[in-house]
Amino acid sequence: MVEEKLRRVAALAAVLVGSLGIGADALAAADAHAPPACVAATTVLPDPAQCLRGYGFDSAAGRGDRAEATLAALYKRAGTHMDLSQFTEATQILDCAEAVAGAHPSAAIAQELARRRGVLEFRRECPLQALNWFKRALAEAERSENRVAQGKNWTSIGAALLRLGDVRGALQAQTASLDLLRGVPAEAARPLNNLAEIYRDLGDAAQASRYYRQAHDAHLATGNQVEAAHTLESWGASLLDRGDNRGGEALLLQAREALLKTDNRKYLQRTYAELARAAQARGDLDAAERWARSGLAAVNAGAGEIA
C-alpha cells in the first residue's frame, strides 16, 4: 500500500515538475529557439522612416514630440517577441529604435537602448554580450546622474555576472544596486531577492532569510501582493533545502493563501510543487498527493501560463 502510494505521488510530482517548464520537452523547446551563436550587434542600421513604415507607423512618427512614444511602442513590440523567443525579430525592432533615436541621442535614450539590447542578449543566453550592453547602459545612467537607472543596471550586471559564474562579482553588483535603490521599495525588491537567491545557492541560510524577509517587506510596502507571495515561496523552498521542513511549509502555506486571492497561476503551481515536496519529506503521502493534484489543477486553470 505504502509503496503504491509512493509510486503514485512520484508520478504526479514528475508530471507537475514537467508542467513547470523544466522537463525534457521544455528543454528541447528552448534549444529549438536558441540562436546558433552570440553575434555582434548590427553595424548598419535601417533607414528610420522605412523601418517605421514597416511596423505600421507613418514616417513622421520618429520625429519631434512623437519620438518618445514611438520608441516606447517599439520597445513594447520587441519585448513581445522576446517573450516568444523570437530574437531575430526583436533585434530588428531594436535596430529600428536605434535608427529612430539618431546618431546622438540623449543620455536617457542611449541608456534605455543599451539596456534593452542587454536584456535581449541575456534572454538569448549570451551573458557576456549582455554584460557589455548593461555596462554601457550604466555609463549612460551615470552621465545623466539617474540613480534609479544606475541601480537597475547594476542589478542586470549582477545577473549577467552570475550567469558567467562570477559569484563574487554578482554579489558586489547586487549590493551596489541595493545601495542605490534602498529608498525606492518598488525597485529595491529585485536586488534584495537576487541577494537572497545568491546566498541560498552559497548555503548561507541566515543571510538568505535576511534578504528574503527584506524583499517581502519591500513588495508589501508597494502593494505588490503577487511578488510578495512569490518571495515567500522562494524563501520557503530555501528552508526545505536546508532541512527546516516546518518553517518552510509554514511560509509556503502563507504564499498559497496569498496567491489564491490573485489570478497568478504560475507562482501557485510552484508553491503547490514545493508543498508536495514538504509533505513527502515528513512522510505524509496523502497530503503530498493532494498538493500535487492541486498543482496540476492550477496548471490547467492557467490555460498555458506555465512557470
Side-chain angles (χ1 to χ4, degrees):
M1 178 73 75
V2 173
E3 290 182 0
E4 174 60 28
K5 189 167 291 185
L6 273 169
R7 284 195 293 270
R8 189 164 63 246
V9 170
L12 285 167
V15 173
L16 180 55
V17 168
S19 73
L20 295 178
I22 54 179
D25 290 343
L27 291 174
D31 286 342
H33 289 298
C38 296
V39 297
T42 304
T43 55
V44 179
L45 296 174
D47 175 75
Q50 184 176 353
C51 72
L52 284 175
R53 285 195 298 271
Y55 293 121
F57 298 93
D58 62 74
S59 58
R63 298 197 294 268
D65 295 338
R66 299 175 60 190
E68 184 175 349
T70 299
L71 287 173
L74 289 171
Y75 295 150
K76 183 176 181 180
R77 185 175 298 203
T80 298
H81 284 289
M82 287 185 217
D83 290 342
L84 296 172
S85 297
Q86 296 170 346
F87 301 122
T88 299
E89 292 85 347
T91 299
Q92 292 169 348
I93 294 169
L94 291 181
D95 288 346
C96 184
E98 186 173 345
V100 169
H104 304 289
S106 67
I109 290 176
Q111 185 276 145
E112 188 62 17
L113 279 167
R115 189 186 73 82
R116 299 274 177 171
R117 294 277 196 188
V119 171
L120 172 61
E121 295 300 330
F122 192 84
R123 297 283 293 275
R124 291 177 66 241
E125 300 294 337
C126 296
L128 183 58
Q129 286 76 6
L131 178 62
N132 291 333
W133 282 113
F134 291 142
K135 286 181 175 179
R136 288 177 61 173
L138 175 62
E140 294 294 345
E142 290 174 340
R143 184 160 70 95
S144 62
E145 300 182 345
N146 186 329
R147 287 178 59 84
V148 171
Q150 290 173 45
K152 292 169 71 173
N153 282 304
W154 272 118
T155 298
S156 298
I157 287 170
L161 287 171
L162 189 62
R163 189 71 63 86
L164 289 165
D166 184 355
V167 178
R168 181 178 179 181
L171 275 173
Q172 292 173 338
Q174 298 297 348
T175 301
S177 172
L178 183 58
D179 288 343
L180 288 159
L181 301 175
R182 177 71 78 173
V184 190
E187 301 294 346
R190 187 178 174 199
L192 285 166
N193 263 319
N194 290 342
L195 284 165
E197 293 292 330
I198 292 172
Y199 280 113
R200 173 185 176 181
D201 290 342
L202 290 173
D204 191 334
Q207 281 287 71
S209 290
R210 172 193 171 200
Y211 284 113
Y212 277 131
R213 182 178 292 107
Q214 291 181 45
H216 179 252
D217 291 345
H219 285 309
L220 289 181
T222 58
N224 194 334
Q225 301 294 331
V226 170
E227 290 300 329
H230 180 40
T231 297
L232 285 176
E233 178 264 314
S234 299
W235 187 2
S238 76
L239 293 184
L240 295 186
D241 290 344
R242 71 170 187 173
D244 184 358
N245 213 66
R246 184 174 180 179
E249 193 167 22
L251 290 174
L252 291 166
L253 288 170
Q254 290 182 50
R256 171 183 174 271
E257 182 179 357
L259 289 168
L260 286 173
K261 298 174 184 177
T262 76
D263 60 357
N264 190 297
R265 294 293 176 266
K266 179 172 67 174
Y267 292 159
L268 189 59
Q269 295 163 31
R270 300 175 67 95
T271 302
Y272 278 129
E274 294 297 345
L275 281 167
R277 178 161 73 105
Q280 190 169 5
R282 59 181 167 79
D284 191 339
L285 300 183
D286 289 333
E289 183 175 354
R290 288 196 301 273
W291 290 133
R293 291 189 183 279
S294 295
L296 292 175
V299 172
N300 294 331
E305 182 183 323
I306 303 300

